Amino acid sequence: MLTVAVLISGTGSNLRALLDAAAHEDYPARIVVVGADREADGFAHAEAHGIPTFLVPFRNFADREDWGRELADQLRTWSPDLVVLSGLMRLLPADLVAEWSPRIINTHPAFLPEFPGAHGVRDALAAGVDRTGASVIVVDAGVDSGPILAQDRVPIRVGDDEHALHDRIKPVERRLLIDVVRRIATGELDLAAASAPSR
Ligand code: GAR
């Protein structure tokens, strides 16, 4: 059974979907802890499933490195097989990424490498394109620049605003995330191989 720590910042709708999937006995992964960088509404989903939570408030630390050290300590305590960033709206310090790489993945509301960063949905709308998407990647030292594990397209409709478009992207993200975690757990997807530099 693959053990998973999930890190969030917000509503945690993708977390909730992963928790629901993992509650099925034939799903090969279990969420062991949910952490956040701020008081996140998504903690309620963890609590509803009886999953422990931890909070490492970014604002309580002098800088990203200090914050990252405490976050790294928390993750070591739980020692999960995999760390999932599911709406964590904070760049992780390079040391933490290096410690967990390649066992750290992120879900992003755009078809990477298009529209990386904190405003993937807004940036796609601003670019005037007619489709965007969702991606699940391995986290590396850059911003949403790691190896892509799964992605799918989502059409942009006339009249879409950021909220409406994001609401249509999230179900795609959930499907991809649940499937990627399942494939990592079964060994069908090898993160080390997926992260190896291509020759
Ligand atoms: C998700 O769409 C996730 O991809 C995005 O935040 C949302 C969280 O939603 N993350 C990023 O944009 C990271 N760059 P949720 O809290 O409802 O799961």
Side-chain angles (χ1 to χ4, degrees):
M1 186 65 71
L2 187 89
T3 58
V4 180
V6 182
L7 300 180
I8 62 169
S9 293
T11 56
S13 63
N14 290 337
L15 162 69
R16 183 179 54 195
L18 194 57
L19 283 162
D20 289 346
H24 287 100
E25 61 181 33
D26 54 352
Y27 192 75
R30 289 286 171 270
I31 298 175
V32 292
V33 71
V34 175
D37 65 325
R38 64 194 79 173
E39 295 282 349
D41 291 346
F43 271 170
H45 304 308
E47 283 150 16
H49 280 262
I51 307 291
T53 59
F54 67 80
L55 181 61
V56 185
F58 187 81
R59 60 180 152 72
N60 290 7
F61 294 83
D63 56 31
R64 183 179 312 282
E65 278 60 41
D66 261 9
W67 170 74
R69 272 187 284 278
E70 174 61 25
L71 184 60
D73 282 350
Q74 286 286 342
L75 288 173
R76 268 183 230 116
T77 305
W78 292 95
S79 194
D81 298 317
L82 179 72
V83 177
V84 173
L85 312 186
S86 184
L88 181 76
M89 301 307 285
R90 191 75 68 185
L91 277 182
L92 294 173
D95 283 0
L96 191 150
V97 173
E99 181 179 342
W100 287 91
S101 177
R103 297 180 299 125
I104 179 165
I105 67 173
N106 182 34
T107 170
H108 183 74
F111 199 88
L112 292 168
E114 299 167 6
F115 312 116
H119 304 293
V121 181
R122 189 186 307 172
D123 292 347
L125 280 171
V129 293
D130 62 4
R131 58 184 194 158
T132 180
S135 307
V136 178
I137 63 170
V138 179
V139 177
D140 71 1
V143 177
D144 299 323
S145 55
I148 293 164
L149 300 171
Q151 58 187 168
D152 211 348
R153 285 290 188 183
V154 175
I156 296 179
R157 294 185 189 147
V158 175
D160 265 349
D161 61 12
E162 188 175 349
H163 187 76
L165 180 56
H166 206 164
D167 271 358
R168 289 212 321 286
I169 292 171
K170 281 187 181 184
V172 178
E173 282 190 76
R174 287 171 203 145
R175 172 170 53 75
L176 295 175
L177 182 62
I178 289 167
D179 189 56
V180 164
V181 172
R182 184 189 60 72
R183 288 192 290 130
I184 293 168
T186 59
E188 205 179 313
L189 181 53
D190 179 344
L191 288 176
S195 303
S198 50
R199 283 182 286 166

